[in-house]
């Protein structure tokens, strides 16, 4: 029979735990706040990086300040911390940037909520207040956003500013102008389609970050077959996904049964013949370049070499899809109707050298949208981090092209939202207003953290900002100026952020905070026993 | 007991005491069971009502679920105790039968057992208590019927349905958007409802979702969403007015089921086999083309060669579509599911106005939306949410709301919520308890008098137990529970108005008619039936034998 001390004994499985009421709330607050503190120091242009060492073989090391990457790699046991991990991942999938901000904001909201709970405000009341504050903040954010989509010149400038702002918090900050140009060029080439797949990023160790460049064509990190032309002009390309080793017989149950060595020879010859015919059919398409997703064995490679056709094997699936997109051909698997298959084409295919590696370079491609960014850097860690940073910037730019509204950065939107919420809180009766004020405080924590990370006097700066926004509501452009270490005009400094990203940060963080606040009971099942 | 002697006087053991089994008997057993049930009920108690809190559950694999849906909590708690499992089953059966009120039923059962415990202490036999509960349950449900109101709606006038769905949703995480969600649910249910027959097949409503975006982006797709993409990356992403063929045979070389071997011993045979193979694929695609199909939906995979041929013949295709989706698609588009290429003919094709592929955010994930089907008999609710946990919870909440709407279509009687129905029933049972003696006295003989009186206690206990629901509601809403309950009870008695309940939303009135808080009659009735039945079952157990955990 269960004792009074632990009424759940025998009810749940052995090893399971249950936390209730205040304890549960405490556990989730602590977990979430710890998670937010973990990534807090990486926020902003002066944020620090983290070293992550994997537990697997080789103890691989990653150096990053990308919130999503950090959180993804940390193993957590606290369920509330898992919620934060999840929102950061979603933020990454949805808009690509702001992964740290969303976790920090959710953490700050919960920290404020914890104090309110301590003052005997019911969690449901806090949630109601948060919801109202969120609505006010969203309205203010929408009102604050502006768009230059009608003026291509100004819009390009906006994009550059956004790219610079995003990159400034990353490893690329030293060369942010260079990379901002790269990223904006790549995005504008897409002509609003926002299809990031057409931008290919290749990482090659060696050189300096500054040597990274944007290539208008397409670069494939593969080898050309032996004895085949290394340079083709006016290429006609057949992109295929077909076995080029031995064509297996697909009919079920078929098997070869022979009774003499001579027969073996015959069958072998027939097999070879079959392959030769297949190659001939491929060549009959009138192509001079053949790219296959699967292996190409020596024998067909030789046939292609004889015909003067360049063949590239083992282009993985992503590569093949991208190539098809870029070259404007279709991915073929049958070769019976040469006239009907859409071939890809480009002006020039040649082997180029980057660093020490040979790569295949396609230039003058049909789809002008595609391009390749070649990243150079001293070590693979730097390259990985540069790739992540550039990916963030590209995602944000892609989203901005779709949703051209922008905001100033440097904590400007947070200060504006905070002011609007406080204004609304004054008019709200009841305990809800306490929660709304807490929401405003949490928002203000973002510029505070950015300033703190840069070693600035955050209290002073945030107070100045607050006064500036209070004195001139809705028109002030003051934000944190990292370089001068004071409050500054964000427009003059050219610090811009994407509206979509900010809005998503606000919505996800509030949703996550609400989710955790609603919990009053944590039940952990017994961990599954792993065998072996 | 556990030791018997055979004909020759040799002892043999029926049930090994001590050793490998543990055993609890008599009142002790009943009490142990009640304690277990109470513990489970107590866990759920705080999730009841619009201000109920959520539970965070960590699965054995470390995945986190946050929910306040009673059935889900109990299912994921992995309760090990036998009686605890009974309550889990109880909540599940309410879920299957009604779909809503899964928390309420457990709270009610727990409270009934709690009351039974004190009756046991008074020395009343468990079975007497059970019978008393049974009688009380009859009285209560009869009273429910009498206070129920018919709630008329028509496809044009859906407001009542929306209101009821809103009551269900207000206790969930989507409370903020309850109006929007309730409207979506009602639209979905009415779209698939068979109004003349008063039946709704909920299988026709799929609740699907993708992480990302905001809850506000949730919408009703008047068609079907498949979480797949076109088989070849270069097939067109949008099709208009397309004829659809639904196949359940793979685009692969034939695999006869009987065992066979094709022996190849000459070059000629090898050649002919090769041609046959190629021809086979060409025939397959040609058959689809001949039937006039513009889109192929297949349950199985495609051979690379076939895939390219399809693309080549301008036949977009979707592969590896699940069985459930296939059936829904067939119903919606009016297509027949074709198991063999030979049977493909123009009259077996379905039709859709628009088929398109959509992507999300920065990931490569894609879904295909099929809209504008001739039979609007299948719809999909497309849910978006900030993270996976929100999404799952929204899906569960929508499921509850859909069930409620369905129940109303089946039977449009409602009772008022906010605990008002429980209080009214409690009053009715109490009144009946006093009367019972008189009525039954005539029917029963002398000693029965005693028995009837004993059951009177049980009925009073039942009445008290019913009050647990409004009590928990008030408690969760931060109201002084006993004060508000007694106030409402007194007013119900004085005004004989069964619509007075607990004012959870701080709306300033106790009249649930004004607050528009409803629940379905069948849902409430089922709760009482199920809770009473489980109590009866638990009370009847007087011996627990279980193998001890250590060998």
């Amino acid at each position: 029979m269960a004792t009074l001390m632990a009424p759940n004994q025998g009810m749940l499985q052995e090893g399971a735990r249950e936390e209730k009421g205040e304890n549960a709330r405490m556990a989730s607050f602590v977990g979430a706040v710890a998670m937010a503190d973990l990534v807090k120091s990486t926020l902003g242009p002066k944020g620090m990086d983290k070293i992550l060492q994997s537990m697997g073989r080789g103890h691989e090391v990653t150096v990053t300040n990308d919130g999503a990457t950090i959180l993804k790699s940390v193993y957590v046991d606290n369920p509330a911390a898992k919620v934060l991990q999840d929102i950061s991942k979603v933020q990454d999938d949805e808009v690509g940037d702001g992964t740290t901000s969303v976790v920090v904001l959710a953490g700050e909201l919960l920290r404020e909520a914890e104090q309110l709970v301590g003052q005997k405000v019911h969690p449901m009341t806090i949630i109601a207040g948060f919801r109202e504050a969120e609505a006010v903040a969203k309205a203010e954010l929408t009102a604050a956003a502006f768009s230059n989509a009608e003026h291509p010149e100004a819009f390009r400038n906006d994009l550059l500013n956004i790219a610079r702002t995003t990159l400034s918090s990353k490893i690329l900050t030293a060369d942010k102008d260079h990379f901002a140009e790269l990223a904006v060029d790549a995005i504008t080439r897409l002509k609003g389609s926002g299809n990031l797949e057409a931008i290919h990023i290749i990482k090659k160790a060696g050189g300096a970050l500054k040597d990274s460049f944007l290539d208008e064509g397409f670069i494939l990190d593969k080898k050309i077959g032996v004895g085949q032309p290394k340079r083709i002009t006016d290429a006609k390309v057949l992109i295929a996904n077909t076995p080029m080793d031995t064509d297996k017989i697909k009919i079920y149950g078929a098997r070869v049964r022979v009774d003499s060595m001579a027969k073996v020879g015959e069958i072998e010859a027939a097999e070879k013949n079959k392959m030769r015919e297949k190659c001939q059919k491929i060549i009959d398409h009138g192509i001079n370049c053949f790219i296959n997703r699967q292996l190409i064995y020596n024998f067909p490679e030789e046939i292609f070499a004889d015909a003067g056709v360049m063949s590239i094997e083992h282009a993985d699936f992503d590569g093949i899809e991208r190539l098809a997109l870029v070259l404007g051909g279709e991915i073929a698997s049958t070769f019976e109707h040469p006239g009907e298959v859409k071939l890809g084409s480009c002006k020039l295919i040649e082997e180029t050298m980057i660093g020490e590696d040979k790569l295949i370079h396609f230039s003058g491609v049909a789809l002008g949208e595609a391009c390749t960014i070649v990243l150079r850097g001293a070590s693979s860690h730097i390259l990985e981090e540069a790739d992540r940073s550039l990916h963030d910037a590209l995602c944000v730019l892609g989203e901005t092209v779709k949703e051209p509204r922008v905001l100033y950065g440097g904590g400007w939107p947070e200060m504006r939202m905070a002011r609007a919420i406080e204004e609304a809180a004054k008019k709200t009766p009841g305990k809800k207003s306490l929660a709304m004020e807490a929401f405003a405080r949490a928002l203000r924590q973002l510029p505070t953290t950015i300033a703190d990370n840069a070693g600035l006097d955050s209290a002073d700066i945030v107070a100045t900002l607050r006064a500036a926004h209070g004195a001139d509501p809705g028109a002030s452009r003051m934000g944190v100026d990292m370089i001068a270490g004071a409050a500054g005009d964000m427009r003059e400094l050219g610090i811009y952020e994407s509206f979509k990203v900010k809005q998503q940060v606000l919505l996800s963080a509030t949703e996550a905070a609400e989710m955790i606040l609603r919990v009053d009971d944590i039940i952990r099942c017994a961990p599954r026993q792993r065998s072996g | 007991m556990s030791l018997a002697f055979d004909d020759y006087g040799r002892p043999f053991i029926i049930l090994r005491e001590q050793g490998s089994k543990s055993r609890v008997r008599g009142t002790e057993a009943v009490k142990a069971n009640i304690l277990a049930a109470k513990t489970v009920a107590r866990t759920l108690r705080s999730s009841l009502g619009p201000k109920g809190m959520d539970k965070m559950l960590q699965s054995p694999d470390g995945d986190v679920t946050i929910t306040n849906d009673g059935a889900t909590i109990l299912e994921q708690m992995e309760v090990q105790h036998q009686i605890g499992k009974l309550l889990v089953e109880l909540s599940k059966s309410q879920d299957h039968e009604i779909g809503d009120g899964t928390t309420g039923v457990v709270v009610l059962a727990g409270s009934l057992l709690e009351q039974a415990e004190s009756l046991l202490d008074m020395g009343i036999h468990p079975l007497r208590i059970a019978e008393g509960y049974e009688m009380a349950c009859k009285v209560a449900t009869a009273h429910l019927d009498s206070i129920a109101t018919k709630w008329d709606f028509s496809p044009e006038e859906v407001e009542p349905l929306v209101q009821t769905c809103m009551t269900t949703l207000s206790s969930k995480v989507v409370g903020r958007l309850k109006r929007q969600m309730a409207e979506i649910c009602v639209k979905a249910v009415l779209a698939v409802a068979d109004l003349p027959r008063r039946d709704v097949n909920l299988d026709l409503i799929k609740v699907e979702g993708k992480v990302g975006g905001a809850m506000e982006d949730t919408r009703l797709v008047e068609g079907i969403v498949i979480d797949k993409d076109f088989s070849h990356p270069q097939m067109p992403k949008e099709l208009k007015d397309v004829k659809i063929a639904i196949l359940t045979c793979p685009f692969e070389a034939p695999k006869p089921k009987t065992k066979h071997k094709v022996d190849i011993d000459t070059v000629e045979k090898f050649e002919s086999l090769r041609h046959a193979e190629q021809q086979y694929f060409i025939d397959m695609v040609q058959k689809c083309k001949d039937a006039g199909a513009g889109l192929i939906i297949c349950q199985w995979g495609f051979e690379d060669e076939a895939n390219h041929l399809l693309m080549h013949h301008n036949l977009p295709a979707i592969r590896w579509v699940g069985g459930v989706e296939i059936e829904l698609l067939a119903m919606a588009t009016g297509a027949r599911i074709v198991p063999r290429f030979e049977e493909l003919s123009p009259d077996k094709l379905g039709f859709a106005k628009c088929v398109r592929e959509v992507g999300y955010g920065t990931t490569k994930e894609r879904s295909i939306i099929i809209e504008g089907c001739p039979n609007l008999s299948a719809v999909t609710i497309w849910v978006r949410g900030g993270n996976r946990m929100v999404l799952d919870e929204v899906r569960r909440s929508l499921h509850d709301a859909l069930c409620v709407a369905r129940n109303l279509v089946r039977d449009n009687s409602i009772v008022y919520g906010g605990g008002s129905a429980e209080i009214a029933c409690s009053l009715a049972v109490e009144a009946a308890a006093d009367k019972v003696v008189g009525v039954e006295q005539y029917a029963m003989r002398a000693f029965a008098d005693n028995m009837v009186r004993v059951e009177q206690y049980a009925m009073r206990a039942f009445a008290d137990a019913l009050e647990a629901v409004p009590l928990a509601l008030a408690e969760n809403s931060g109201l002084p529970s006993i004060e508000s309950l007694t106030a409402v009870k007194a007013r119900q008695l004085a005004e004989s108005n069964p619509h007075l309940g607990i004012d959870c939303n701080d709306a300033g009135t106790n009249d649930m008619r004004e607050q528009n808080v409803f629940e379905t009659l069948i849902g409430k009735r089922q709760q009482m039936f199920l809770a009473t039945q489980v109590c009866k079952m638990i009370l009847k157990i007087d011996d627990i034998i279980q193998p001890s955990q250590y060998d």
Side-chain angles (χ1 to χ4, degrees):
Chain A
M1 218 179 127
T3 60
L4 273 177
M5 283 295 289
N8 257 345
Q9 221 155 45
M11 179 62 61
L12 299 167
Q13 273 174 343
E14 212 167 311
R17 276 187 292 157
E18 185 179 10
E19 285 163 286
K20 277 175 174 266
E22 287 305 304
N23 270 348
R25 209 165 283 133
M26 187 80 84
S28 42
F29 281 149
V30 168
V33 170
M35 210 64 189
D37 283 346
L38 177 72
V39 291
K40 203 173 172 182
S41 65
T42 65
L43 193 72
K46 299 283 167 75
M48 304 300 273
D49 289 6
K50 309 259 175 229
I51 287 190
L52 307 165
Q53 190 175 31
S54 77
M55 293 208 291
R57 219 161 14 122
H59 294 280
E60 272 175 63
V61 170
T62 316
V63 184
T64 185
N65 82 356
D66 180 46
T69 313
I70 299 174
L71 292 177
K72 225 184 321 188
S73 330
V74 178
Y75 178 77
V76 292
D77 196 33
N78 186 301
K82 283 223 168 82
V83 175
L84 291 196
Q85 235 175 0
D86 205 53
I87 56 166
S88 144
K89 189 181 158 284
V90 172
Q91 177 82 8
D92 197 24
D93 290 348
E94 191 73 359
V95 287
D97 193 30
T99 49
T100 313
S101 315
V102 70
V103 175
V104 172
L105 183 58
E108 291 303 332
L109 283 174
L110 287 172
R111 203 195 298 269
E112 292 290 342
E114 189 182 2
Q115 301 209 328
L116 288 180
V117 171
Q119 291 167 21
K120 301 269 175 279
V121 182
H122 194 268
M124 284 298 166
T125 316
I126 304 179
I127 289 174
F130 277 6
R131 278 179 184 170
E132 260 176 46
E134 186 199 1
V136 172
K138 204 175 152 193
E140 179 72 12
L141 204 61
T142 318
F146 50 91
S147 159
N148 276 328
E150 306 85 65
H151 314 291
E153 285 298 308
F155 187 52
R156 189 185 153 83
N157 203 28
D158 283 356
L159 287 180
L160 273 177
N161 279 330
I162 290 178
R164 262 198 292 268
T165 311
T166 307
L167 291 171
S168 64
S169 61
K170 309 280 155 89
I171 196 169
L172 302 174
T173 178
D175 304 305
K176 64 179 172 195
D177 290 331
H178 180 62
F179 281 101
E181 286 279 345
L182 272 188
V184 173
D185 279 346
I187 285 290
T188 36
R189 284 179 72 88
L190 296 181
K191 299 188 187 72
S193 76
N195 183 1
L196 293 183
E197 277 172 47
I199 303 175
H200 188 39
I201 299 181
I202 288 184
K203 293 164 277 186
K204 282 285 161 205
L209 277 174
K210 229 188 175 59
D211 299 335
S212 307
F213 61 94
L214 178 88
D215 195 283
E216 314 233 315
F218 188 84
I219 293 180
L220 191 66
D221 194 357
K222 294 287 174 233
K223 298 262 182 313
I224 297 175
V226 184
Q228 292 167 348
K230 300 287 183 231
R231 183 187 156 90
I232 294 179
T233 46
D234 290 325
K236 289 201 181 58
V237 189
L238 179 66
I239 304 155
N241 175 17
T242 181
M244 287 302 273
D245 35 8
T246 43
D247 236 351
K248 288 172 201 76
I249 300 165
K250 284 165 195 154
I251 292 176
Y252 184 72
R255 61 167 183 180
V256 178
R257 174 181 271 176
V258 289
D259 44 16
S260 73
M261 283 309 285
K263 288 265 175 70
V264 177
E266 276 172 32
I267 297 277
E268 209 185 330
E271 231 171 48
K272 262 200 168 153
N273 209 23
K274 184 179 170 191
M275 181 51 72
R276 185 170 293 129
E277 268 176 38
K278 188 170 179 180
C279 291
Q280 197 52 49
K281 270 183 205 148
I282 291 170
I283 295 166
D284 286 346
H285 283 68
I287 55 163
N288 44 20
C289 179
F290 175 71
I291 301 170
N292 193 15
R293 180 189 155 197
Q294 301 174 26
L295 281 174
I296 303 178
Y297 267 29
N298 286 351
F299 177 62
E301 193 177 286
E302 193 189 311
I303 301 174
F304 288 129
D306 285 346
V309 171
M310 173 193 282
S311 67
I312 300 164
E313 66 168 3
H314 225 230
D316 49 45
F317 199 72
D318 267 3
I320 217 90
E321 275 193 24
R322 208 177 273 144
L323 262 174
L325 186 71
V326 168
L327 300 176
E330 68 180 60
I331 302 173
S333 296
T334 56
F335 311 100
E336 302 298 324
H337 312 282
E340 293 166 33
V341 175
K342 223 170 107 199
L343 297 175
S345 65
C346 71
K347 287 259 153 49
L348 177 71
I349 303 177
E350 61 179 345
E351 218 174 41
T352 54
M353 300 276 287
I354 296 177
E356 288 186 339
D357 295 308
K358 283 184 190 161
L359 301 168
I360 306 169
H361 182 219
F362 298 77
S363 52
V365 293
L367 193 72
E369 297 174 7
C371 60
T372 302
I373 295 176
V374 179
L375 287 178
R376 307 301 313 276
S379 73
S380 60
H381 297 304
I382 292 187
L383 284 176
E384 290 291 329
E385 178 65 358
D387 180 17
R388 276 191 291 272
S389 317
L390 201 61
H391 173 256
D392 280 6
L394 288 174
C395 288
V396 175
L397 290 177
E399 289 297 331
T400 318
V401 171
K402 279 188 222 155
E403 158 65 86
R405 279 180 287 180
V406 292
L407 296 162
Y408 296 121
W412 177 80
E414 284 84 7
M415 297 305 293
R416 255 194 94 149
M417 287 191 278
R419 197 200 56 77
I421 292 169
E422 272 176 2
E423 228 17 57
K426 281 179 199 155
K427 293 172 204 147
T428 309
K431 282 196 274 192
K432 271 192 284 191
S433 64
L434 286 179
M436 291 174 76
E437 279 168 16
F439 197 96
R441 274 199 299 279
L443 277 173
R444 250 185 225 117
Q445 277 300 312
L446 283 176
T448 312
T449 311
I450 297 177
D452 273 340
N453 286 346
L456 304 175
D457 184 352
S458 57
D460 179 41
I461 293 180
V462 173
T464 319
L465 286 181
R466 192 172 169 180
H469 281 267
D472 195 5
S476 171
R477 293 194 297 267
M478 300 299 263
V480 184
D481 178 358
M482 283 296 145
I483 300 140
D489 188 328
M490 287 297 118
R491 189 160 76 177
E492 277 165 27
L493 289 166
I495 299 176
Y496 283 53
E497 274 179 283
S498 153
F499 170 73
K500 177 94 187 276
V501 172
K502 264 279 120 71
Q503 184 185 339
Q504 191 67 29
V505 166
L506 181 74
L507 295 183
S508 309
T510 322
E511 223 164 72
E514 181 183 332
M515 192 110 224
I516 294 173
L517 265 175
R518 285 175 68 103
V519 170
D520 78 332
D521 198 341
I522 302 178
I523 299 164
R524 284 180 225 213
C525 295
R528 197 180 297 287
Q529 298 297 324
R530 287 182 213 291
S531 50
Chain B
M1 268 284 265
S2 56
L3 199 67
F5 296 93
D6 64 6
D7 297 347
Y8 304 100
R10 283 176 308 197
F12 72 83
I13 295 162
I14 299 170
L15 189 71
R16 200 177 289 278
E17 277 302 320
Q18 310 302 318
S20 60
K21 303 251 199 293
S22 68
R23 192 167 176 196
V24 194
R25 267 185 279 179
T27 326
E28 197 81 328
V30 182
K31 282 205 175 159
N33 289 341
I34 289 178
L35 185 76
K38 262 163 62 186
T39 320
V40 173
R42 204 178 305 148
T43 306
L44 284 193
R45 199 179 148 96
S46 64
S47 288
L48 198 72
K51 296 279 167 76
M53 304 295 278
D54 290 3
K55 310 275 172 247
M56 195 183 259
L57 301 145
Q58 200 172 22
S59 80
D61 295 323
D63 295 332
V64 178
T65 308
I66 299 179
T67 182
N68 79 359
D69 179 53
T72 314
I73 297 173
L74 288 179
E75 200 177 324
Q76 306 223 348
M77 254 169 84
E78 304 211 350
V79 176
Q80 214 188 15
H81 196 282
Q82 312 84 342
I83 299 301
K85 277 188 186 148
L86 270 182
L87 287 193
V88 176
E89 290 298 317
L90 165 71
S91 160
K92 245 187 226 165
S93 59
Q94 173 84 11
D95 195 24
H96 288 167
E97 197 73 15
I98 307 295
D100 186 33
T102 50
T103 315
V105 70
V106 175
V107 171
L108 186 58
S111 154
L112 281 175
L113 287 171
E114 209 172 320
Q115 295 292 339
E117 199 178 9
S118 56
L119 295 184
L120 281 174
D121 284 341
M122 289 165 66
I124 301 180
H125 192 273
L127 276 187
R128 290 277 181 79
I129 304 176
E131 268 161 37
Y133 276 0
E134 185 77 344
M135 278 189 202
C137 179
K138 267 189 205 133
V139 175
T141 46
H143 187 68
L144 265 185
D145 287 339
S146 71
I147 61 169
T149 5
K150 285 276 179 202
W151 199 233
D152 284 319
F153 67 90
S154 59
E156 292 78 40
E157 177 54 42
V158 293
E159 191 54 31
L161 283 178
V162 175
Q163 292 287 357
T164 321
C165 284
M166 273 164 69
T167 309
T168 305
L169 291 174
S170 62
S171 65
K172 313 278 172 170
V173 72
V174 290
R176 170 162 64 101
L177 300 168
K178 58 183 173 186
R179 176 90 215 175
Q180 185 195 345
M181 297 287 181
E183 276 172 8
I184 289 178
C185 288
V186 170
K187 257 190 219 152
V189 167
L190 285 182
V192 302
D194 188 351
L195 284 178
R197 266 193 12 197
R198 296 192 152 267
D199 193 20
V200 182
N201 184 358
L202 280 189
D203 288 342
L204 296 173
I205 303 177
K206 277 206 349 169
V207 184
E208 287 287 323
K210 261 265 158 25
V211 173
M215 275 193 270
E216 280 87 345
D217 300 336
T218 301
R219 64 192 186 90
L220 184 70
V221 177
E222 293 189 340
I224 292 160
V225 180
I226 310 177
D227 205 2
K228 292 276 181 292
D229 50 5
F230 285 114
S231 62
H232 197 286
Q234 279 151 324
M235 286 173 178
K237 304 288 180 222
E238 188 165 346
L239 305 165
K240 292 266 181 230
D241 296 327
V242 64
K243 283 192 172 153
I244 301 174
I246 298 177
L247 296 169
T248 53
C249 43
F251 273 85
E252 276 166 12
K255 281 184 185 165
K257 298 218 170 45
T258 43
K259 217 171 179 183
H260 71 290
K261 289 207 170 65
V262 183
D263 280 346
I264 304 166
D265 47 10
T266 63
V267 175
E268 290 74 45
K269 278 193 184 166
F270 184 82
E271 295 277 323
S272 65
L273 192 65
R274 200 182 103 205
H275 284 294
E277 194 183 280
Q278 270 176 355
Q279 197 53 46
Y280 194 79
F281 288 127
I282 293 168
D283 284 352
M284 280 194 289
V285 176
Q286 200 53 46
K287 269 178 197 134
C288 300
K289 196 82 195 163
D290 288 346
L295 172 70
I296 312 269
I297 291 169
C298 183
Q299 198 174 7
W300 302 99
F302 300 167
E303 185 74 34
D304 281 344
E305 264 186 70
N307 197 6
H308 177 248
L309 274 175
L310 283 171
M311 150 83 190
H312 193 79
H313 285 91
N314 224 349
L315 263 180
I318 307 167
R319 57 183 155 180
W320 294 312
V321 180
V324 182
E325 279 105 334
I326 287 261
E327 276 175 27
L328 276 179
L329 272 170
M331 269 188 261
T333 61
R336 293 270 295 277
I337 299 176
V338 181
R340 269 188 296 274
F341 290 101
E342 288 73 31
E343 288 169 17
L344 206 57
S345 61
D347 55 313
K348 286 179 182 164
L349 298 182
F351 177 80
K353 273 229 174 60
C354 175
V355 178
R356 61 201 162 90
E357 193 183 271
V358 288
Y360 307 97
T362 63
T363 53
K364 277 198 198 154
E365 284 172 66
R366 307 241 186 285
S367 305
I368 292 178
I369 298 179
I370 298 166
E371 278 174 313
C373 308
N375 311 339
L376 221 178
S377 61
V379 294
T380 305
I381 298 179
W382 190 241
V383 186
R384 303 301 309 271
N387 57 50
R388 192 182 52 77
M389 291 143 214
V390 172
L391 193 75
D392 288 350
E393 179 64 358
V394 172
R395 282 171 63 170
R396 278 191 290 271
S397 314
L398 286 180
H399 171 76
D400 282 6
L402 287 172
C403 289
V404 168
R406 175 196 61 182
N407 293 340
L408 273 183
V409 172
R410 276 192 189 158
D411 181 352
N412 60 353
S413 311
I414 52 137
V415 291
Y416 288 88
S420 63
E422 279 87 357
I423 298 174
C425 287
S426 161
L427 288 173
V429 171
E430 242 168 272
D434 298 337
K435 260 183 253 158
V436 122
V437 186
V439 177
E440 300 280 302
Q441 237 168 3
Y442 291 110
M444 300 193 184
R445 273 181 284 277
F447 84 92
D449 184 9
N450 182 33
M451 183 188 106
V452 166
R453 222 170 276 149
V454 165
E455 269 139 25
Q456 191 179 357
Y457 275 105
M459 288 181 76
R460 291 235 168 81
F462 190 91
D464 286 344
L466 276 175
E467 281 165 14
V469 174
L471 215 56
L473 274 179
E475 225 167 81
N476 291 344
S477 311
L479 301 170
S481 47
I482 296 177
E483 232 170 84
S484 30
L485 174 66
T486 43
V488 170
K489 210 168 155 186
R491 276 188 63 193
Q492 276 216 8
L493 254 182
E495 301 168 26
S496 64
N497 175 0
H499 310 315
L500 296 172
I502 303 288
D503 177 21
C504 296
N505 295 322
D506 218 9
T509 168
N510 285 78
D511 196 331
M512 291 297 135
R513 264 183 309 188
E514 283 169 41
Q515 285 206 22
N516 282 329
V517 178
F518 320 112
E519 282 173 86
T520 54
L521 171 67
I522 29 179
K524 202 75 309 155
R525 200 164 50 190
Q526 195 71 16
Q527 270 188 357
M528 288 189 189
F529 275 139
L530 286 175
T532 314
Q533 266 171 31
V534 164
C535 282
K536 261 175 74 182
M537 198 189 323
I538 293 178
L539 285 171
K540 269 180 139 168
I541 301 170
D542 77 333
D543 199 342
I544 313 168
I545 305 165
Q546 64 179 144
S548 68
Q549 286 175 342
Y550 306 101
D551 299 325

